[in-house]
Amino acid sequence: MAEIFLNGKFIGTVADPGKLVDSFVEERRKGKLHYSISIYHDKTLDEVQIESSRGRAIRPLIVIKEGKPMLTDRHIEQVEKGELTFFDLVKQGVIEYLDAMEEEEALVAFDENDLTPEHTHMEILPLAIVGLCTSLVPFGNFNQSTRLNAGSKNQKQSLGLYAANYLVRMDMDVNVLHTPQLPLVKTIMHDSSHYENHPSGQNVVLAILSFDGYNMEDAILLNKASIERGYARSTYFRPVVTEELRYSGGLIDEVSVPDKDVKGFKSEKDYRLLEGDGIIFPEAVIAEGDVVIGKTSPPRFLSSLDEYNLTSSARRESSMTIKHGEKGVVDFVLLTENSEGNKLIQVRLRDQRIPETGDKFTSRHGQKGVVGLIVETADMPYSASGIVPDIIFNPHGIPSRMTMSHLIEMLAGKTGALSGRYIDGTPFEAEDHNNLRKELASLGFREDGTETFYNGRTGEMFKAQIYVGDMYYLKLKHMVANKVHARARGPIQLLTRQPTEGRAKEGGLRLGEMEKDTFVSHGAALLLKERFDADRTIVPFCEQCGLVAVYDEYKKKSYCPICGDNCSVSNVELAYAFKLLLDELKSLGIYPKLKLKDKY
Amino acid sequence: MDDIYKEYEGKIPEGIIADVQSSLPDKVSKAQLKSIMQKVLEEYEKSRIEAGEAVGLISAQSVGEPGTQMTLNTFHFAGVSEFNVTVGLPRIIEILDGRQNISTPMMEIYLKEPYSKGKDIKQIAESIKQTEFRDFIKEITLEITEGKLDVKLDLEKVKRVDLSEAKLLKIFEKSVKGFTFKQNGDMITLKSKGKSENVNELYKLKEKLKSLYVSGIKGITQVLPVKREDEYVIMTAGSNLKEVFKLDYVDTVRTTTNDIHEIQAVLGIEASRQAVINEVNKVIEEQGLNIDIRHIMLIADIMSFSGKVRGITRYGVVSDKSSVLARASFETPIKHIMEAAFVGEIDKLTSVVENVMINQVIPVGTGLPELRSTIKK
Ligand SMILES: [Zn+2]
């Protein structure tokens, strides 16, 4: 007696579960049941699970009967002619969708050569084993699976043409690559996804070589001339958005050049780029601190009377400014209205990004790295035929990661570039790399892809043969320009008097609990104290009651608000955050008394 | 000679003096011995931790860093399923937290000769294992309509253990008072004596029967005799040190358990201190890591110096910290601050954490020495 569950709920029992499953599948193949419903007999638990819930991943497979695929050449002909569609084949029971559970009981053949009478299904295409992004890795079947994952993940972060109408869009943090190219080594997924409409990389000449240690730990070296020719240039777009908010009492934000008497007025210089309407003009070159949209807001609190009398002067400055470390050019100004009917101002900023030390690049094989050095072309190694590579890649990245596809792509790319054709690198169905080697040899190059190289500085010949080839390289969206940050002195938080946090606020770098412990375990007590002196304060304390006393600046004298003038007050050096803790304890109703005594 | 040794007593630990004594060649002159002892003293002084070294924190870091590399898997014993052992980081956490109920208690039972050479090893192992009545039941059916319980025994299994059928039945009969007991071959029928045929009661009886204790040592659920070098050792899942020590064929000197609290109850605090060290060390060695044993010894000392094993938790050793601020910075700050406020606790600011909080020089390392001078008036 097997129990039956529909979407995890018990609905009954069946004496012969095998028969139930068989007839269920049969009905589904006839099209009487929806193709997305799955059934599975768990033999160990003796349960039949029927699933029709949403969110399950299902995938199509060719149905095999008695070792023969249901899909015939006739079907393919008909589909090609347009007489049949893919879903007609599903309805005819030629192709079937399985979910993860039903797949458990299926024996899926890789291709027709693998078929045996035991098989129940066959892959439509071996490539269907992997997903869309992974299909974009050429020769991916030569790789370790984790590298494939990394490779497809990296591709998602690459710069390219993300949308053809980017000029009229207001996307947050987007990049567009200048002069993108189609890869020399393609897979069929590049064709079927129309990669030519949105390419996201460029073909480069890559040499595998160590160079002065500037490419250690996965770094790469860029040829300066390549950059000057425009390699991997991109534009970064970021919108500045604000709206005229309405407040209770009929008050409203106002976009305009703020008056001098507005609370928080910056300086004339900061507003210099604003036009009469309070908005910056297109093509204005801007840098840190410049106002993009001038705006004033009504006062925050309307309680006190004097603020009522001086309404205009009490308005607050609330302009949109360029944050710390940012620069660029105003690209586009848009004035519109949002769904609440408020005036909405969007200003798109643009910044050209030329590759620099620290920018992240990757091939399509999970071989990411940052630029370690931009090498003067004169110093770059060159081949016997005078070819200077665009990128130098470190050989140590290869053995432990075993990305064979990286090496094969170089060879294939080289052959493709020399013979003037695209190479098919579709995983499992790629062109045979042995043939590519032969072709390369017939083109007058060494068949293993290596070439004699010369030191760019001394002109000496390298003793080793250097592996060079053409490769599709991607610039990733993580650029140093968005990330570099350092601080010596800077803004502090109002509440704790400790440095602010984060790059945008020019914040400090946190020395956390565990980092503090390293100072302690080295016994560096005084250094530790100095490091935490950021919020050091001197506070007068009453020795009698142990609470904070007051220093009267006029009388040049300290007194205790509780004990009065007749008590001795001492100055105590402590962290402001601790003074704050004492205040918070007081708010809990706890009396935190400091018992003072001389240290020595 | 002895007077020279006497001279160094108190300056060098007795153990080291004994080591020197035992490893000296026969012919040593007094002057030579004197210079040897002087050298030993120098080396001893040199190897001592300097004042102001943050030993606790260094121990914590030395154990914590390798902890990040540990695997989190439980490890299965070859052959026997349901015989798994918590290893790696979870085990370390379990030990250092001083948990009362560890997830996989285990014993290593060493035997006296001739049993350690393999005599009756299977029988001994089986007799240690706790057997329950469920092990002898083939089938148990509850007849609701007739208000009776049919128990079908597996007589084959009864034969295998050092236990007679009659004895088993006696234990069985004793536990079913209030029910009629009727035996027919391997079939036993139970019926409620009372008139009311309470099905609920029968169901409870059924569950009770399954876990009815029959023989062996309570708590020991699995046994596995293994050969270690040239003697047999019984590994067990489940632990009961007190009862195992009562068995006359057990070598009580070497037999041990991984339950530290049990060791404390049976053997005392010194043994449990050593058990903490051994257990932590075992994990570290299993993981192929290398931590200096003195770090672990320090942790074991902290855990056991009060006379009973306490974990490094807010209920354990941390609750002992004299500083309110230090305790509050560890866990549940409001609770600690409120409790301190109720009794008017005074924080003398003698330790590291509180001085970091108020940004004062910590009393460790370079923060320890102070400069004092008398000012002439
Ligand atoms: Zn006072």
Side-chain angles (χ1 to χ4, degrees):
Chain A
M1 224 22 126
E3 289 161 339
I4 307 175
F5 294 88
L6 175 62
N7 294 329
K9 279 198 189 110
F10 176 74
I11 52 164
T13 55
V14 63
D16 188 352
K19 206 177 142 197
L20 173 78
V21 172
D22 287 346
S23 58
F24 191 99
V25 169
E26 206 177 297
E27 294 295 300
R28 188 178 60 195
R29 285 179 187 170
K30 278 183 198 156
K32 289 184 182 167
L33 285 166
H34 195 264
Y35 67 86
S36 73
I37 305 173
S38 305
I39 188 164
Y40 165 62
H41 178 218
D42 187 328
K43 278 168 187 151
T44 51
L45 293 171
D46 201 22
E47 280 174 3
V48 177
Q49 297 277 0
I50 304 170
E51 279 289 341
S52 67
S53 53
R54 64 170 102 177
R56 286 170 303 131
I58 56 172
R59 70 193 203 97
L61 294 165
I62 297 169
V63 176
I64 304 292
K65 268 192 185 151
E66 284 137 19
K68 291 252 157 54
M70 296 289 282
L71 185 79
T72 57
D73 292 343
R74 170 111 186 85
H75 283 121
I76 295 167
E77 240 171 67
Q78 281 180 303
V79 172
E80 274 174 355
K81 278 185 196 154
E83 289 163 15
L84 278 179
T85 66
F86 185 80
F87 276 96
D88 289 330
L89 296 177
V90 176
K91 275 177 203 149
Q92 287 176 21
V94 174
I95 284 168
E96 185 172 46
Y97 279 88
L98 298 190
D99 74 350
M101 259 216 257
E102 198 170 343
E103 214 177 10
E104 202 75 7
E105 278 294 295
L107 182 64
V108 184
F110 185 66
D111 57 22
E112 274 177 307
N113 307 325
D114 278 4
L115 278 178
T116 66
E118 282 84 54
H119 281 102
T120 60
H121 297 85
M122 189 176 88
E123 296 287 350
I124 291 174
L125 187 77
L127 191 67
I129 291 174
V130 296
L132 193 148
C133 272
T134 315
S135 313
L136 295 174
V137 179
F139 302 102
N141 53 315
F142 290 87
N143 272 3
Q144 197 193 352
S145 59
T146 50
R147 287 294 134 196
L148 273 180
N149 280 325
S152 49
K153 230 189 246 165
N154 289 341
Q155 291 203 54
K156 294 175 195 169
Q157 301 179 354
S158 62
L159 305 188
L161 187 68
Y162 73 98
N165 63 343
Y166 69 93
L167 280 174
V168 294
R169 294 167 66 106
M170 279 288 179
D171 297 294
M172 197 64 208
D173 283 313
V174 287
N175 295 277
V176 170
L177 182 70
H178 301 183
T179 60
Q181 297 173 347
L182 205 55
L184 274 171
V185 185
K186 296 201 288 191
T187 72
I188 61 165
M189 199 51 85
H190 286 98
D191 295 327
S192 49
S193 67
H194 297 287
Y195 203 71
E196 68 274 12
N197 292 334
H198 53 89
S200 59
Q202 288 160 323
N203 293 295
V204 295
V205 176
L206 187 86
I208 299 189
L209 176 68
S210 298
F211 193 85
D212 281 6
Y214 281 102
N215 62 348
M216 62 193 214
E217 289 292 329
D218 287 340
I220 57 161
L221 303 172
L222 281 187
N223 182 346
K224 195 175 182 190
S226 305
I227 293 168
E228 282 163 357
R229 272 179 235 122
Y231 172 66
R233 253 170 224 225
S234 60
T235 300
Y236 173 69
F237 293 103
R238 194 181 77 83
V240 174
V241 184
T242 193
E243 64 176 306
E244 282 189 348
L245 273 175
R246 285 165 207 281
Y247 300 89
S248 55
L251 294 162
I252 189 168
D253 285 341
E254 192 197 341
V255 172
S256 62
V257 183
D259 284 337
K260 265 188 182 151
D261 48 3
V262 161
K263 209 192 267 175
F265 186 80
K266 293 174 195 296
S267 73
E268 293 284 355
K269 184 183 159 273
D270 293 331
Y271 299 107
R272 73 188 188 284
L273 299 166
L274 300 187
E275 294 192 313
D277 58 358
I279 305 168
I280 203 161
F281 58 90
E283 300 305 318
V285 179
I286 46 171
E288 184 181 333
D290 288 343
V291 173
V292 179
I293 305 163
K295 195 174 80 172
T296 56
S297 300
R300 232 180 281 236
F301 306 107
L302 291 167
S303 52
S304 58
L305 264 171
D306 51 5
E307 295 226 286
Y308 259 121
N309 301 333
L310 305 156
T311 340
S312 72
S313 67
R315 287 185 74 85
R316 286 180 293 126
E317 145 75 24
S318 58
S319 299
M320 303 301 289
T321 54
I322 296 296
K323 282 189 199 135
H324 172 66
E326 284 191 65
K327 64 171 181 68
V329 179
V330 176
D331 191 50
F332 186 59
V333 177
L334 181 78
L335 286 160
T336 180
E337 212 171 63
N338 71 3
S339 53
E340 281 129 49
N342 295 339
K343 188 177 175 187
L344 185 73
I345 300 102
Q346 294 186 301
V347 176
R348 189 172 67 206
L349 310 177
R350 133 173 76 84
D351 187 23
Q352 195 190 52
R353 294 285 164 84
I354 299 167
E356 56 180 319
T357 318
D359 281 357
K360 198 174 173 187
F361 285 78
T362 185
S363 70
R364 288 175 289 175
H365 316 277
Q367 288 282 12
K368 56 175 188 272
V370 293
V371 177
L373 179 72
I374 291 166
V375 188
E376 290 289 338
T377 312
D379 293 340
M380 285 288 281
Y382 54 90
S383 77
S385 56
I387 293 287
V388 182
D390 299 304
I391 295 176
I392 298 179
F393 177 87
N394 195 317
H396 298 288
I398 301 285
S400 60
R401 300 194 233 279
M402 299 181 280
T403 49
M404 298 321 295
S405 62
H406 189 272
L407 302 177
I408 301 170
E409 193 201 330
M410 282 175 73
L411 192 94
K414 192 172 182 176
T415 314
L418 290 165
S419 60
R421 66 185 178 93
Y422 290 111
I423 308 285
D424 182 15
T426 309
F428 304 110
E429 291 165 334
E431 281 184 43
D432 187 355
H433 57 274
N434 293 310
N435 295 341
L436 291 172
R437 277 165 166 249
K438 277 178 204 146
E439 196 178 336
L440 193 61
S442 73
L443 289 160
F445 282 78
R446 225 179 258 122
E447 59 117 42
D448 61 1
T450 62
E451 283 179 43
T452 304
F453 260 67
Y454 295 88
N455 185 324
R457 295 197 185 112
T458 64
E460 283 172 305
M461 192 177 86
F462 286 141
K463 279 179 185 151
Q465 299 294 323
I466 305 303
Y467 190 52
V468 223
D470 287 74
M471 203 166 195
Y472 197 59
Y473 244 73
L474 316 163
K475 184 184 186 186
L476 299 182
K477 65 180 180 189
H478 307 283
M479 281 170 283
V480 261
N482 296 328
K483 297 187 175 176
V484 273
H485 175 53
R487 152 175 173 152
R489 275 158 290 155
I492 53 163
Q493 281 166 15
L494 200 66
L495 183 71
T496 60
R497 295 200 189 168
Q498 286 171 353
T500 51
E501 213 172 319
R503 190 179 105 103
K505 282 177 270 176
E506 209 194 332
L509 298 169
R510 186 184 180 83
L511 188 107
E513 181 101 28
M514 294 179 91
E515 291 79 12
K516 172 213 80 183
D517 287 347
T518 62
F519 283 76
V520 178
S521 62
H522 277 88
L526 299 165
L527 178 62
L528 179 67
K529 182 181 179 300
E530 226 173 273
R531 172 57 240 242
F532 284 142
D533 270 352
D535 66 340
R536 191 184 83 117
T537 33
I538 310 253
V539 184
F541 269 91
C542 168
E543 283 181 25
Q544 204 172 318
C545 64
L547 291 178
V548 180
V550 178
Y551 179 69
D552 190 325
E553 193 63 50
Y554 293 114
K555 291 180 187 163
K556 303 275 179 215
K557 204 177 157 233
S558 297
Y559 68 94
C560 174
I562 296 167
C563 315
D565 295 334
N566 303 324
C567 62
S568 53
V569 172
S570 298
N571 285 330
V572 178
E573 177 199 328
L574 41 70
Y576 187 82
F578 185 69
K579 193 226 144 213
L580 182 71
L581 175 74
L582 296 180
D583 291 341
E584 287 188 357
L585 289 180
K586 280 178 226 160
S587 76
L588 275 173
I590 295 170
Y591 172 18
K593 182 176 181 178
L594 258 62
K595 291 191 166 179
L596 302 179
K597 83 175 185 225
D598 280 334
K599 201 171 176 192
Y600 304 113
Chain B
M1 286 294 194
D2 283 340
D3 54 315
I4 294 174
Y5 290 127
K6 198 124 210 167
E7 201 183 303
Y8 287 92
E9 251 171 41
K11 288 180 188 165
I12 307 173
E14 283 170 38
I16 294 176
I17 296 178
D19 280 351
V20 174
Q21 261 172 321
S22 63
S23 54
L24 276 184
D26 295 336
K27 280 184 185 169
V28 179
S29 72
K30 259 194 165 177
Q32 279 173 319
L33 181 65
K34 181 95 186 154
S35 73
I36 287 169
M37 289 308 284
Q38 195 53 43
K39 202 86 189 155
V40 169
L41 180 65
E42 271 170 36
E43 286 298 319
Y44 178 71
E45 291 292 340
K46 220 191 275 175
S47 63
R48 279 171 63 156
I49 288 283
E50 281 176 40
E53 190 85 84
V55 282
L57 185 49
I58 291 170
S59 284
Q61 289 180 333
S62 305
V63 176
E65 194 277 332
T68 60
Q69 306 169 28
M70 285 190 194
T71 52
L72 298 162
N73 311 323
T74 54
F75 160 77
H76 290 265
F77 245 85
V80 191
S81 62
E82 80 251 28
F83 202 150
N84 52 45
V85 193
T86 313
V87 293
L89 198 60
R91 176 65 185 147
I92 295 264
I93 292 169
E94 189 175 85
I95 299 164
L96 299 188
D97 275 2
R99 297 249 174 91
Q100 286 289 345
N101 297 305
I102 57 174
S103 57
T104 50
M106 270 181 69
M107 288 188 78
E108 270 173 40
I109 302 173
Y110 286 85
L111 302 168
K112 286 181 187 156
E113 278 195 61
Y115 306 103
S116 64
K117 295 288 176 233
K119 187 176 179 252
D120 301 336
I121 188 76
K122 276 245 165 76
Q123 287 86 325
I124 288 174
E126 278 300 314
S127 71
I128 289 172
K129 184 178 165 185
Q130 176 185 344
T131 43
E132 288 172 358
F133 198 64
R134 77 173 84 218
D135 299 328
F136 307 102
I137 301 172
K138 219 179 220 167
E139 205 178 0
I140 187 160
T141 34
L142 181 65
E143 300 263 356
I144 300 169
T145 47
E146 293 169 58
K148 64 170 190 179
L149 198 63
D150 287 330
V151 183
K152 200 173 176 187
L153 291 178
D154 192 339
L155 294 174
E156 280 296 303
K157 277 194 179 161
V158 181
K159 276 176 201 161
R160 260 182 259 154
V161 186
D162 153 48
L163 185 80
S164 67
E165 196 183 318
K167 201 179 158 195
L168 177 71
L169 289 172
K170 215 170 140 192
I171 295 166
F172 184 17
E173 217 176 330
K174 240 197 236 164
S175 68
V176 292
K177 274 172 193 160
F179 293 87
T180 54
F181 182 88
K182 219 183 282 169
Q183 193 195 355
N184 181 17
D186 60 353
M187 194 65 130
I188 296 163
T189 311
L190 295 170
K191 231 175 180 174
S192 182
K193 271 180 188 164
K195 290 254 164 90
S196 61
E197 283 162 7
N198 196 340
V199 181
N200 214 13
E201 215 163 88
L202 273 175
Y203 184 80
K204 270 187 198 156
L205 179 71
K206 181 185 151 190
E207 293 304 307
K208 191 184 141 197
L209 276 180
K210 281 190 195 164
S211 49
L212 179 65
Y213 167 75
V214 177
S215 69
I217 290 170
K218 277 184 186 169
I220 291 177
T221 53
Q222 284 288 335
V223 285
L224 184 70
V226 288
K227 195 161 188 188
R228 203 170 274 178
E229 271 140 38
D230 56 349
E231 73 174 319
Y232 282 91
V233 181
I234 300 170
M235 311 282 290
T236 72
S239 172
N240 193 338
L241 197 63
K242 199 175 172 188
E243 294 302 316
V244 169
F245 273 10
K246 285 180 187 166
L247 304 171
D248 50 5
Y249 45 78
V250 165
D251 180 359
T252 50
V253 176
R254 289 183 296 158
T255 295
T256 185
T257 169
N258 67 351
D259 187 333
I260 286 147
H261 288 277
E262 207 170 60
I263 290 181
Q264 183 192 307
V266 178
L267 297 170
I269 189 69
E270 285 293 338
S272 46
R273 185 196 91 105
Q274 193 59 43
V276 170
I277 297 169
N278 292 347
E279 288 300 318
V280 173
N281 223 22
K282 204 159 79 187
V283 177
I284 289 158
E285 270 167 25
E286 266 165 11
Q287 302 280 325
L289 302 170
N290 185 26
I291 301 177
D292 194 298
I293 190 133
R294 282 166 286 193
H295 296 307
I296 300 155
M297 285 161 93
L298 182 66
I299 293 167
D301 284 342
I302 294 286
M303 285 175 70
S304 49
F305 79 94
S306 72
K308 59 177 206 275
V309 174
R310 294 182 307 166
I312 303 181
T313 62
R314 75 188 113 131
Y315 310 105
V317 296
V318 178
S319 67
D320 266 11
K321 283 202 177 183
S322 61
S323 166
V324 192
L325 295 175
R327 265 179 284 137
S329 75
F330 185 67
E331 270 170 8
T332 57
I334 294 175
K335 188 189 140 214
H336 283 295
I337 288 169
M338 294 306 287
E339 279 170 8
F342 289 144
V343 294
E345 235 176 272
I346 294 168
D347 194 322
K348 294 227 158 87
L349 307 176
T350 49
S351 171
V352 174
V353 187
E354 41 297 14
N355 280 295
V356 170
M357 281 176 85
I358 61 167
N359 193 20
Q360 289 292 330
V361 175
I362 53 168
V364 154
T366 54
L368 210 55
E370 289 172 353
L371 189 65
R372 287 180 192 227
S373 63
T374 3
I375 298 162
K376 274 182 190 163
K377 280 177 187 163

